[in-house]
Amino acid sequence: MRSTIFLIPIAVFLGIAAFFYAGLRNGPTTILPSPLVGKPVPTFEMAALGPEFQTFTHDELASGKPILINFWASWCAPCRIEAPILEELARREGITLYGIAYKDKPEDARAFLSELGNPFARLADDPDGRVAIDWGVTGVPETFVVDGEGIIRARFAGPLTEDVVRDIILPAAGL
């Protein structure tokens, strides 16, 4: 009896570990429900990140083709991780990628893009995070899929991976 009592904590630990392992293996946990999915993009107005960049407007997001909106920042370590995936996405046929620099210094954001590449067709600046609040952004990086009618079709929080692009982003964009 005494020898089996020591096995109880080990069994409980293994059960908890198995539970967490199964949760991690069930796929991304950063697919966030959003009241905006299925609704038009919020109205916004933003300046370009700098004179060498072109901003975009709310109305342009209903251009007839899907657009990915990526909120990012130079101070964001996961944004560095997803940079190669964004570069690859930008080269795909049928994908238009717009970026929003979130609470960043313009000179730091430009240095980030110079170092890692600029995958964005348009690039806006959200220095105080007000646009991000309207979109329901919880942190960076965060990516939204907007269809050709200006309707948000998907939201993904966290760095994009090949699996996320294949399983979530491209299907939501109709590609």
Side-chain angles (χ1 to χ4, degrees):
M1 172 75 177
R2 286 195 94 148
S3 63
T4 59
I5 202 154
F6 292 111
L7 295 176
I8 292 173
I10 292 171
V12 169
F13 171 77
L14 290 175
I16 293 170
F19 176 76
F20 283 113
Y21 179 74
L24 291 173
R25 296 213 9 120
N26 284 336
T29 58
T30 51
I31 302 170
L32 298 175
S34 172
L36 296 180
V37 172
K39 296 191 172 133
V41 296
T43 302
F44 61 86
E45 190 174 318
M46 290 180 290
L49 185 61
E52 67 272 32
F53 301 108
Q54 189 175 17
T55 191
F56 57 96
T57 66
H58 168 269
D59 294 337
E60 290 175 64
L61 296 182
S63 65
K65 60 184 177 179
I67 297 173
L68 305 182
I69 307 292
N70 181 261
F71 286 82
W72 64 280
S74 65
W75 46 262
C76 162
C79 296
R80 288 185 167 276
I81 293 168
E82 84 170 355
I85 298 291
L86 293 175
E87 286 282 339
E88 187 178 309
L89 262 173
R91 288 190 294 268
R92 287 186 71 116
E93 184 77 26
I95 295 284
T96 302
L97 187 58
Y98 289 178
I100 299 175
Y102 173 76
K103 291 187 176 182
D104 209 346
K105 295 178 184 171
E107 60 273 12
D108 293 345
R110 288 192 294 272
F112 178 94
L113 296 172
S114 292
E115 178 187 344
L116 297 173
N118 180 5
F120 304 112
R122 306 272 179 103
L123 193 53
D125 188 19
D126 186 16
D128 56 7
R130 297 232 180 251
V131 172
I133 289 170
D134 292 342
W135 283 67
V137 170
T138 58
V140 288
E142 197 158 319
T143 304
F144 292 82
V145 178
V146 179
D147 72 9
E149 303 299 316
I151 307 297
I152 296 174
R153 293 296 169 199
R155 170 188 183 195
F156 186 82
L160 297 178
T161 64
E162 290 178 10
D163 291 341
V164 169
V165 168
R166 181 189 65 238
D167 298 339
I168 297 167
I169 303 299
L170 293 178
L175 302 171

